[in-house]
Amino acid sequence: MSNDLIISNMNMALAVTKPEYNLMLKNIQDRMPAVIRDTSNFHKSHSQFMSVTLDVTAITPIRSIKHTLAEIDRTKSALQEAYIGLRKTQNELKKKERDLDASTDALDRELLEIEILELNSHLENTQNHVNGALRKMNFMVNQHAQLLEAVSKNEITEEDYEKEEARYHIMTCMKQGLNAARSRGGVIDEGNLIYLFDLGINAAQAQAEVLSYLNMENQIIFNGNAPTHEMTMRWLEACADKWANDPATFAARRGFSVFDRSSLTNSPALEMAPDPQQKVA
């Protein structure tokens, strides 16, 4: 490994240093294989656990798929850039090695050897991060397949995404409102009250639902039992069911339509539309 080579050669480059530093370098060199072996388990930004709990936080299945696909796309872009960078570095390394073979000047050869060492070190570090990104991408691709299975679909269409948006925003708003209310004496914060208004949901009604839910939790605790996260999710889903049509109603009041099938990809309305270039007989 190039990093091992750099460490092993440091004692020659630092000949004027104190003897104890050479002992430290020897200790590092001896233990470095184990460090490199264990470090290879990482080289990625987040763990699998964080990826599906703290990175992808969407509360509805279609939104979870969307965020998962976004993670895959970002990782794919990073891998593509890394691949191009690797190819360029490999090309530069071949040129340096060719120049080294042709060089006869001792100092030029020494400089080329250092530059080759630097390029090899860069290649090794880049490859480590590529390996981590590959593991992350494989994990997220598997998650995408699992999410599709969870919603009993082979693919997600733009129409599926648009139709779930009302539920996603209602559940997200109420999740945030509930969490804010826990630290505010049961009162939803101003930001989520505005969110509710923009969704066409009466804030007083939402506040009443939050207080009712918090009272139910307190009663469960008073009875010696423990509220569950699943219970909260069912309450959020019930809120989405209750107010599912309110955003569309409010949009219609302002002259908007929240769903236009003819503007979607693979839309039947588009497929049936006549070709504007085709002449009518």
Side-chain angles (χ1 to χ4, degrees), residues 36-80:
I36 292 174
R37 179 200 64 214
D38 292 345
T39 304
S40 67
N41 295 320
F42 307 105
H43 295 302
K44 55 184 181 178
S45 57
H46 288 162
S47 65
Q48 294 181 1
F49 174 85
M50 285 189 66
S51 293
V52 298
T53 56
L54 302 176
D55 292 344
V56 179
T57 58
I59 202 166
T60 53
I62 306 298
R63 268 289 183 137
S64 294
I65 291 173
K66 179 194 174 188
H67 287 190
T68 300
L69 291 172
E71 285 291 322
I72 292 172
D73 191 57
R74 280 193 290 270
T75 306
K76 183 180 71 173
S77 296
L79 282 169
Q80 288 171 338

Side-chain angles (χ1 to χ4, degrees), residues 144-184:
H144 173 247
Q146 187 170 311
L147 286 166
L148 286 175
E149 184 179 347
V151 295
S152 302
K153 287 181 175 290
N154 295 321
E155 64 174 337
I156 296 299
T157 66
E158 190 178 2
E159 182 173 338
D160 293 329
Y161 168 64
E162 291 293 342
K163 286 184 174 180
E164 193 195 62
E165 278 291 88
R167 292 185 63 81
Y168 166 75
H169 284 286
I170 293 169
M171 292 176 69
T172 298
C173 181
M174 292 303 288
K175 177 193 78 171
Q176 294 173 174
L178 177 66
N179 289 331
R182 292 188 187 280
S183 61
R184 293 167 52 89

Side-chain angles (χ1 to χ4, degrees), residues 206-224:
Q207 179 65 70
E209 290 287 349
V210 168
L211 287 175
S212 176
Y213 181 78
L214 291 175
N215 288 335
M216 180 180 68
E217 281 190 335
N218 290 334
Q219 188 61 49
I220 290 173
I221 294 171
F222 180 79
N223 293 335

